[in-house]
């Protein structure tokens, strides 16, 4: 990867299969530790793309964090400005606003506290116990969206 290329860690075949199972469970009403299936409109195809996500709450606000970096769902979210979260029959439409890097530190720290067991491998050595400087340095590699669920 060139120094100017955005960070993105593509999933292994096993990770892709595991995500498929987690998404299937969420679609059928089983949320593991708060997971949900997100649908976001594809920026090229126009078709809804589905991926399991870990919605994260910090100071009463809800967020989606891309542990793997500037993934396809992130690019689609930037274009679409929102999507849907599903657990079973409960589908919640939301709008999304991407945060600038300088606002991500507290969200990333609490995200790593809750989800680190699952996502630390994507943060290149940064954990919830890392210094503010280390987490802030990793912020550019991990897009964060504040989401607002529509009523």
């Amino acid at each position: 990867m060139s120094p100017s290329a955005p960070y993105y860690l593509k999933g292994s075949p096993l990770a892709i299969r595991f995500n498929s199972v987690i998404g299937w469970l969420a679609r059928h009403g089983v949320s593991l530790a708060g997971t949900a299936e997100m649908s976001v409109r594809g920026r090229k195809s126009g078709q809804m793309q589905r991926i399991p996500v870990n919605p994260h709450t910090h100071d009463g606000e809800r967020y989606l964090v891309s542990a793997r970096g500037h993934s396809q769902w992130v690019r689609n979210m930037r274009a679409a400005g929102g999507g849907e979260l599903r657990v079973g029959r409960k589908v919640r439409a939301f709008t999304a606003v991407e945060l600038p890097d300088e606002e991500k530190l507290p969200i990333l720290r609490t995200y790593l506290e809750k989800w680190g067991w699952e996502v630390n491998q994507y943060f290149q050595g940064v954990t919830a116990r890392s210094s503010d400087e280390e987490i802030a340095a990793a912020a550019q590699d991990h897009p964060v969206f504040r989401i607002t669920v529509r009523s």
Side-chain angles (χ1 to χ4, degrees):
M1 175 179 341
S2 73
S4 62
Y7 173 78
Y8 172 60
L9 184 61
K10 187 174 179 174
S12 68
L14 181 60
I16 292 168
R17 180 69 182 137
F18 181 73
N19 277 346
S20 295
V21 170
I22 298 301
W24 185 90
L25 288 170
R27 266 192 317 281
H28 291 86
V30 179
S31 173
L32 301 176
T35 59
E37 183 181 68
M38 178 185 65
S39 296
V40 61
R41 190 159 308 282
R43 66 196 181 285
K44 295 178 183 175
S45 71
Q47 301 298 310
M48 293 301 272
Q49 306 295 313
R50 300 185 313 213
I51 186 167
V53 291
N54 301 324
H56 179 63
T57 301
H58 175 77
D59 284 347
E61 300 275 354
R62 300 201 57 191
Y63 299 91
L64 294 174
V65 175
S66 180
R68 292 180 180 270
H70 297 266
S71 63
Q72 293 300 318
W73 80 256
V74 167
R75 294 171 188 169
N76 289 337
M77 186 67 68
R78 287 174 178 148
E84 297 176 340
L85 291 174
R86 171 187 295 274
V87 176
R89 294 182 187 187
K90 187 174 185 177
V91 179
R92 296 164 296 175
F94 67 87
T95 57
V97 175
E98 188 168 5
L99 298 185
D101 291 344
E102 58 272 9
E103 293 181 22
K104 295 178 187 177
L105 174 64
I107 292 101
L108 289 175
R109 184 175 300 284
T110 57
Y111 179 80
L112 289 167
E113 286 170 357
K114 179 172 184 181
W115 296 102
W117 61 273
E118 180 183 356
V119 302
N120 275 349
Q121 63 189 330
Y122 309 122
F123 279 78
Q124 302 176 6
V126 174
T127 70
R129 293 184 176 170
S130 295
S131 70
D132 286 355
E133 293 76 20
E134 290 169 321
I135 293 175
Q140 68 181 352
D141 293 334
H142 301 283
V144 176
F145 294 86
R146 180 182 301 111
I147 62 172
T148 304
V149 175
R150 293 185 231 150
S151 34

